[in-house]
Amino acid sequence: MTKRTEFFTGLKDVLPILLGVAPTGMIYGASAIGASITPVMTQAMSSIVFAGAAQFVTVQLIAAAIPAGIIILTAGVLNLRHALYSASLAPYLKRLNLFWQLVLAYVLTDEAYALAIIHYRQDGESRHRHWYFLGAGVGLWATWQMCTALGILLGTHIPASWSLDFTLPLTFIALVIPALKQRADALAAVVAGVVALLAVRLPLNSGLLVATCIGIVTGMVMEARRRKRFIAHDIQKEETQP
Amino acid sequence: MMLWFTLLAIGAITYAIRLSCITFFSRVDIPSTVLSILRFVPVVVLTAIIVPQLFLVNNVVTLSPENPRWIAGIIATIVAWRTHNVLLTIAVGMVALWILQIVLRYL
């Protein structure tokens, strides 16, 4: 594929996800205004931070007059998962110059990661897949800025009864389920979900981190067992053959 | 003023996190143990974010009619599993939630 095709395919593929991201952006804008954050600061956060979940949490903490240090720490912990997204994409981004790495790192959100990693893992020889990533990232970024602005303007006119904030978990469900390819993935997810529920009262939102660690360990144990079974099965086959 | 500093700090940290591994691991090869950890990360993290949002109201697990989100979530999960279609999953999930909310209001 050419650079152009990659870019526009990225934009096209991100459209369904924008259905979930757009209302979330509006709700973020509206809730920030509702927490007495200025319009300028609300809009600025969407480009300075550009991370939906962290922005929501930050708004709530600001409204509760939590000290700045704790807010920064909580947001940092919440965004640690991006390090793992970054690391898992790194092999594919090795060849790119620093400028590309700087730009792509900026647009690295959950949704952009989900699309990019699937696209990179496809078979084939395309050397321009970073343009796909850019296309998806630009689509997400532009939508996020516009919807934040809309949320700021519409503010209280968006009825809470519409429950538009539910589109965020729905978008994540749509991203996670197709990614559960083996039993190890599914079990890791189930364990992470259960632990997240149990650990919800831990301070500084660290419940998320705890659930992540335990989920990953579960997945790795399952995967190790699966490998042992395969090897045992292979040995058995060899022994029964004449 | 303090608020601006907070925002900029969060932005800087977030960007640094996102950039760090991309630049670091482009010079160094990733060990296979790290690779197997990384494989589970997105699925585990996103689930850990979704599940509390479906089941918790004010930090308490709520399965009563006050909280139809977990049912709508299960419906959306089934749709996602069967169709692998993002648009459909979100649309059906929202419609399911709205229907449940209306039904439960009149029960």
Side-chain angles (χ1 to χ4, degrees), chain B:
Chain B
M1 214 44 230
M2 200 47 188
L3 220 41
W4 278 110
F5 172 74
T6 306
L7 290 197
L8 289 166
I10 296 176
I13 292 175
T14 302
Y15 186 56
I17 290 174
R18 289 171 174 170
L19 186 63
S20 60
C21 296
I22 287 178
T23 46
F24 179 69
F25 282 119
S26 59
R27 287 149 229 274
V28 169
D29 278 330
I30 305 182
S32 66
T33 321
V34 176
L35 269 178
S36 20
I37 295 178
L38 291 182
R39 161 188 158 187
F40 292 105
V41 162
V43 153
V44 159
V45 165
L46 292 184
T47 307
I49 294 178
I50 297 168
V51 169
Q53 295 190 345
L54 294 180
F55 287 93
L56 296 178
V57 175
N58 288 337
N59 282 352
V60 174
V61 175
T62 308
L63 299 180
S64 69
E66 273 171 33
N67 175 29
R69 290 187 173 211
W70 65 280
I71 302 178
I74 290 182
I75 296 174
T77 301
I78 296 174
V79 173
W81 176 40
R82 286 295 176 176
T83 69
H84 279 211
N85 184 320
V86 174
L87 205 60
L88 208 54
T89 305
I90 298 177
V92 170
M94 285 309 296
V95 168
L97 182 67
W98 287 330
I99 293 178
L100 283 165
Q101 284 174 333
I102 295 176
V103 164
L104 290 168
R105 198 178 309 155
Y106 291 113
L107 262 186

Side-chain angles (χ1 to χ4, degrees), chain A residues 17 20-21 111 166-176, chain B residues 86 90:
Chain A
I17 300 185
V21 166
E111 300 84 359
F166 194 54
T167 54
L168 186 62
L170 285 178
T171 310
F172 286 169
I173 289 177
L175 293 176
V176 165
Chain B
V86 174
I90 298 177

Side-chain angles (χ1 to χ4, degrees), chain A:
Chain A
M1 283 206 247
T2 63
K3 296 179 191 176
R4 238 177 95 98
T5 324
E6 290 275 8
F7 181 81
F8 286 107
T9 310
L11 260 182
K12 187 196 69 153
D13 285 354
V14 88
L15 283 180
I17 300 185
L18 293 181
L19 185 65
V21 166
T24 308
M26 292 200 301
I27 305 247
Y28 156 71
S31 67
I33 299 294
S36 302
I37 299 177
T38 66
V40 171
M41 194 173 285
T42 303
Q43 189 69 49
M45 213 195 302
S46 281
S47 44
I48 294 176
V49 174
F50 189 40
Q55 286 177 240
F56 270 106
V57 168
T58 302
V59 162
Q60 284 162 13
L61 295 180
I62 291 176
I66 305 279
I70 308 239
I71 300 182
I72 296 174
L73 198 55
T74 307
V77 164
L78 200 54
N79 284 342
L80 268 182
R81 67 185 184 280
H82 295 157
L84 303 163
Y85 296 163
S86 172
S88 93
L89 281 175
Y92 304 105
L93 305 180
K94 265 194 208 195
R95 297 173 21 240
L96 302 175
N97 61 42
L98 187 61
F99 178 70
W100 269 102
Q101 291 181 347
L102 291 177
V103 170
L104 291 179
Y106 175 62
V107 294
L108 185 58
T109 58
D110 301 293
E111 300 84 359
Y113 171 73
L115 283 180
I117 195 73
I118 293 174
H119 192 69
Y120 271 115
R121 284 184 180 162
Q122 279 173 3
D123 295 325
E125 282 286 322
S126 174
R127 306 190 61 217
H128 301 304
R129 287 188 172 160
H130 46 288
W131 284 93
Y132 178 92
F133 186 172
L134 185 66
V138 163
L140 283 162
W141 189 86
T143 305
W144 190 248
Q145 306 312 312
M146 284 192 299
C147 291
T148 300
L150 260 178
I152 293 173
L153 290 172
L154 293 178
T156 46
H157 294 291
I158 308 174
S161 57
W162 285 4
S163 305
L164 289 182
D165 59 309
F166 194 54
T167 54
L168 186 62
L170 285 178
T171 310
F172 286 169
I173 289 177
L175 293 176
V176 165
I177 299 298
L180 302 178
K181 300 212 161 85
Q182 288 175 359
R183 223 181 272 175
D185 300 301
L187 194 62
V190 167
V191 166
V194 169
V195 173
L197 282 182
L198 296 174
V200 73
R201 285 178 199 272
L202 291 182
L204 302 180
N205 259 308
S206 49
L208 181 66
L209 215 50
V210 168
T212 302
C213 293
I214 298 182
I216 291 179
V217 166
T218 307
M220 290 179 73
V221 165
M222 283 294 290
E223 177 62 15
R225 279 207 199 148
R226 188 189 69 95
R227 294 230 181 101
K228 277 200 199 149
R229 275 202 304 269
F230 257 27
I231 294 173
H233 183 76
D234 280 346
I235 293 176
Q236 213 180 30
K237 271 172 76 176
E238 278 180 31
E239 286 173 350
T240 58
Q241 275 169 6

